[in-house]
Amino acid sequence: MHATLPGTNPGEPRMPPVLYGHPFSSYTQKVLIALYENGTPFEFRCIGPETPEHAAEWRRRWPIGKFPLLVDGDRDMAETSIIIEHLQLSHPGPARLIPDDPAAALEVRFLDRFFDLHVMDAAQHAVDGALSGDPVKRRDGMAKAVEKLERSYAWLEGALAGRIWAAGEAFTLADCAAAPSLFYADWTHPIPDGCPTVRAYRARLLARPSFARAVDEARRYRPLFPLGAPDRD
Ligand SMILES: N[C@@H](CCC(=O)N[C@@H](CS)C(=O)NCC(=O)O)C(=O)O
């Protein structure tokens, strides 16, 4: 990680940022949504078996082994929330994904953390259990995911009441996090009928052009979903 922001000197030539990731990865989609919302030019380098050189370069740059990774000038940036904050600072566009008002920004950042930690990571227990190939781990992983997701859905049902987007009227970083996390969480353990607000919010996210595009680009990878992708969405 480097300390200087690229392209901050007037007249400095600027290459578009490069995003290493995979179209079917929830956290990659979170950043893609932010890029699509602002029409930010970027180069996508898929980490997949057809392009091993991308995987090698990503691992060289970020040995922690999590994706996506954004390379912007001389900066390597990991962690999706930080990447999106960086995009707003360095590649601002019409969509203000983090509000300028500090109190409003705090609510957005809190909801971003909620969707990553209590929705996406909750569903991941079931995915990891299924990927293990061990029936006991699969059952335990699903049980853990269900227990956590039930609590998260119930909390969201109250938190989202009367809101169009996660934090209110404007589409923000929190919605970038919410879209893929609720998408895959619902595949893992469907949002119950008793949470109509969360179900309607997920449907609005799916209709949002930035996320609809990310979902379409990932469609051909659905057989990779280890719990079995449902025939919808
Ligand atoms: N907190 C990280 C999470 C990233 C993450 O878990 N990415 C998944 C792909 S969706 C990953 O790298 N999985 C590979 C692994 O855990 O080995 C972020 O926000 O960037």
Side-chain angles (χ1 to χ4, degrees):
M1 302 275 161
H2 300 269
T4 50
L5 286 174
T8 45
N9 297 330
E12 183 186 326
R14 192 177 213 192
M15 299 297 287
V18 173
L19 186 69
Y20 289 86
H22 191 281
F24 199 55
S25 128
S26 56
Y27 285 105
T28 302
Q29 290 179 3
K30 178 176 161 183
V31 173
L32 287 173
I33 293 167
L35 290 161
Y36 294 158
E37 281 290 327
N38 272 316
T40 311
F42 69 103
E43 182 189 339
F44 188 71
R45 293 194 186 152
C46 184
I47 299 172
E50 293 116 48
T51 46
E53 68 280 12
H54 293 166
E57 181 64 11
W58 155 67
R59 276 203 178 272
R60 189 185 69 75
R61 289 178 178 271
W62 190 227
I64 296 300
K66 295 280 179 186
F67 54 91
L69 176 79
L70 189 83
V71 179
D72 196 3
D74 64 356
R75 281 195 108 181
D76 294 341
M77 309 211 59
E79 289 298 323
T80 49
S81 307
I82 306 302
I83 293 172
I84 294 172
E85 297 253 8
H86 166 78
L87 289 171
Q88 175 144 314
L89 288 173
S90 248
H91 301 267
R96 301 293 293 169
L97 297 173
I98 298 106
D100 293 326
D101 172 64
L106 199 61
E107 171 73 355
V108 164
R109 291 188 177 105
F110 163 66
L111 287 165
D112 168 68
R113 296 296 73 235
F114 183 88
F115 285 108
D116 278 12
L117 299 173
H118 303 301
V119 180
M120 195 62 247
D121 289 0
Q124 193 67 35
H125 291 299
V127 170
D128 289 345
L131 284 173
S132 75
D134 176 336
V136 176
K137 285 187 183 159
R138 185 184 179 106
R139 191 200 57 208
D140 291 353
M142 179 55 86
K144 201 167 178 181
V146 167
E147 193 250 315
K148 289 188 174 193
L149 286 174
E150 291 273 338
R151 263 190 281 159
S152 297
Y153 292 155
W155 183 82
L156 278 171
E157 186 63 17
L160 296 176
R163 294 184 180 181
I164 297 171
W165 301 112
E169 298 289 309
F171 191 94
T172 66
L173 164 70
D175 302 293
C176 298
S181 58
L182 284 175
F183 180 83
Y184 287 116
D186 185 64
W187 279 13
T188 302
H189 176 58
I191 302 164
D193 290 342
C195 293
T197 303
V198 186
R199 288 170 67 104
Y201 173 55
R202 183 180 182 274
R204 272 197 298 284
L205 289 166
L206 269 165
R208 182 89 180 178
S210 57
F211 184 48
R213 179 175 168 187
V215 168
D216 275 341
E217 288 168 348
R219 206 168 281 280
R220 71 189 177 99
Y221 298 104
R222 288 185 179 200
L224 294 179
F225 192 63
L227 299 163
D231 193 15
R232 59 182 166 86
D233 298 330

